[in-house]
Amino acid sequence: MNDFKAEPAALREAMAAAAARVFASGWYVLGQEVQAFERSWAERCGTRHCMGVANGMDAIELALRGLDIGPGDEVITTPMTAFATVLAIVRAGAVPVLADIDPDTALLDPDSVRRCLSSRTKAVLLVHLYGQVRDLRDWVELCRAAGVQLIEDCAQAHLARWDGQVAGSFGAAGAYSFYPTKNLGAIGDGGAVVTQSEELAQRVARLRNYGQSERYVHPELGMNSRLDEIQAALLSERLKWLEPFTERRRAIAARYDAGIDNPRVRSLAPARQPQAHVHHLYVVCCEARAELARHLGEHGIQTHIHYPVPAHRQVPFVSLRRDPRGLPHTEAHAAACLSLPCHPQLTDDQLEAVIAAINAFR
Ligand SMILES: *Cc1c(COP(=O)(O)O)cnc(C)c1O
């Protein structure tokens, strides 16, 4: 599913030099490398501000806390996501409410979100699942009309664009993860909050560092969620490769779309705009998923499932409020989805072997 050791030698050498640069500098947390990366990531996202933080889950929690969303407040999100999305809402002290997905894309269904709104709703946490952004103008309008904040979980959608505008720049805040397997990944944990708001940026910058406004002065209680210099320096090098790597992901996905030809295997709906999908994952649905995964495994092809147990089936979340009509599309997707190898180092031969194995599945 990933092959970091096959990355270009030029990238690996540049990363080694970047790490050596930090080691020689003698400054290891929240310094010039972090500032330089924050500047370039904000520029790429088209936002005025970027704050490097410790990971993607903290980025969501910090965005929520920075917007004063906490105890007594509800945040609507999807159960078809990484556990961290929903956990971050709880960590912020707020209450997650779970809406159902659109079966064609596995993205949040706006009608289901409307059914989940209440007088306590403060935000919609929109997850750009698998790397897809879609109908962002409509989401901005839905949230505006409902009087709630839009927050984007961009952990899988690095630089995906809708109408030319980048993920994370539509809502009040965007939360990015730089976990190693993400489209832009560190050599360890990392994350970022991006925003247009100067006020939110300053609040998040304070909250990530114990709530400290200036040295030894703490007007509020924050957390320790800082980005290391070494991760920032490595991210700056890896950022130079993000575009070609994303193009490779797109080419792989296009080949899967065209080449997979098996009535038992359904791909998700294609992106409506060419830049709107960065293919963090390529996901198919198959009613005989276990058999398909075993068949592929026998051909030496690894697969994963994103996600087999949706949030509302996780023990701490079983009693969370949800769409009054239930979550039938989430249930169906969780039972059938299978993620195929889709990463920049996948070779054409490997890609053709996956397609041939899928098409031979009976
Ligand atoms: C990876 C991921 C996160 C959490 O990011 P971490 O850096 O692992 O904390 C949150 N949401 C989604 C959709 C993710 O894929």
Side-chain angles (χ1 to χ4, degrees), residues 273-337:
Q273 299 179 356
Q275 305 290 307
H277 204 327
V278 293
H279 300 283
H280 173 58
L281 294 167
Y282 189 93
V283 174
V284 296
C285 292
C286 176
E287 300 313 319
R289 175 178 66 196
E291 291 76 9
L292 176 59
R294 191 175 328 116
H295 167 82
L296 294 176
E298 283 162 8
H299 287 76
I301 298 161
Q302 191 182 32
T303 54
H304 286 322
I305 300 171
H306 301 89
Y307 295 88
V309 186
H312 65 290
R313 297 279 178 201
Q314 302 286 353
V315 171
F317 295 150
V318 287
S319 54
L320 284 184
R321 193 162 77 74
R322 63 201 61 175
D323 184 336
R325 295 196 197 163
L327 302 166
H329 296 307
T330 300
E331 298 279 347
H333 187 78
C337 63

Side-chain angles (χ1 to χ4, degrees), residues 29-31 33-42 47 49-56 58-60 62 174-178 189-195 200-201 203-209 223-229 231-233 235:
V29 177
L30 289 187
E33 296 284 352
V34 169
Q35 281 169 20
F37 176 72
E38 287 175 335
R39 272 195 302 275
S40 41
W41 191 243
T47 57
H49 304 280
C50 168
M51 279 72 53
V53 301
N55 56 67
D58 282 2
I60 301 169
L62 285 160
Y176 276 96
S177 166
F178 304 121
D189 279 305
V193 178
V194 295
T195 181
L200 178 61
R203 187 88 189 278
V204 169
R206 201 159 86 177
L207 285 169
R208 76 175 168 186
N209 198 19
M223 43 206 275
N224 177 346
S225 184
R226 300 175 300 223
L227 186 60
D228 290 345
E229 285 285 281
Q231 296 303 345
L235 284 165

Side-chain angles (χ1 to χ4, degrees), residues 50-252:
C50 168
M51 279 72 53
V53 301
N55 56 67
M57 187 175 86
D58 282 2
I60 301 169
E61 178 181 344
L62 285 160
L64 289 165
R65 291 183 59 180
L67 291 163
D68 276 322
I69 296 168
D73 299 332
E74 291 180 350
V75 177
I76 300 171
T77 195
T78 170
M80 182 47 62
T81 185
F83 189 78
T85 304
V86 189
L87 178 53
I89 297 171
V90 175
R91 294 284 309 178
V95 177
V97 176
L98 301 173
D100 206 5
I101 58 170
D102 170 352
D104 295 335
T105 59
L107 296 170
L108 262 181
D109 169 11
D111 291 327
S112 179
V113 168
R114 280 192 201 92
R115 288 192 291 272
C116 291
L117 288 166
S118 82
S119 58
R120 291 178 302 282
T121 308
K122 286 288 158 53
V124 172
L125 177 53
L126 187 66
V127 179
H128 302 315
L129 194 71
Y130 306 149
Q132 320 169 79
V133 290
R134 206 171 172 97
D135 300 333
L136 263 292
R137 304 278 157 225
D138 300 339
W139 282 107
V140 168
E141 178 51 26
L142 185 156
C143 290
R144 197 201 55 76
V148 305
Q149 304 275 12
L150 175 64
I151 300 169
E152 298 171 71
D153 180 342
C154 308
Q156 302 187 354
H158 299 75
L159 304 188
R161 287 166 189 270
W162 184 259
D163 291 344
Q165 193 180 326
V166 177
S169 67
F170 290 88
Y176 276 96
S177 166
F178 304 121
Y179 185 76
T181 60
K182 308 290 165 138
N183 287 25
L184 178 62
I187 314 302
D189 279 305
V193 178
V194 295
T195 181
Q196 304 287 14
S197 160
E198 170 80 36
E199 191 189 340
L200 178 61
Q202 283 182 6
R203 187 88 189 278
V204 169
R206 201 159 86 177
L207 285 169
R208 76 175 168 186
N209 198 19
Y210 320 127
Q212 173 175 285
S213 57
E214 53 191 292
R215 190 174 285 204
Y216 308 129
V217 179
H218 299 263
E220 64 179 328
L221 300 178
M223 43 206 275
N224 177 346
S225 184
R226 300 175 300 223
L227 186 60
D228 290 345
E229 285 285 281
I230 202 155
Q231 296 303 345
L234 295 166
L235 284 165
S236 290
E237 294 304 329
R238 299 183 67 78
L239 180 52
K240 297 173 188 166
W241 291 76
L242 180 56
E243 266 163 56
F245 281 3
T246 301
E247 283 314 313
R248 178 65 184 151
R249 288 176 186 272
R250 288 196 173 116
I252 291 166

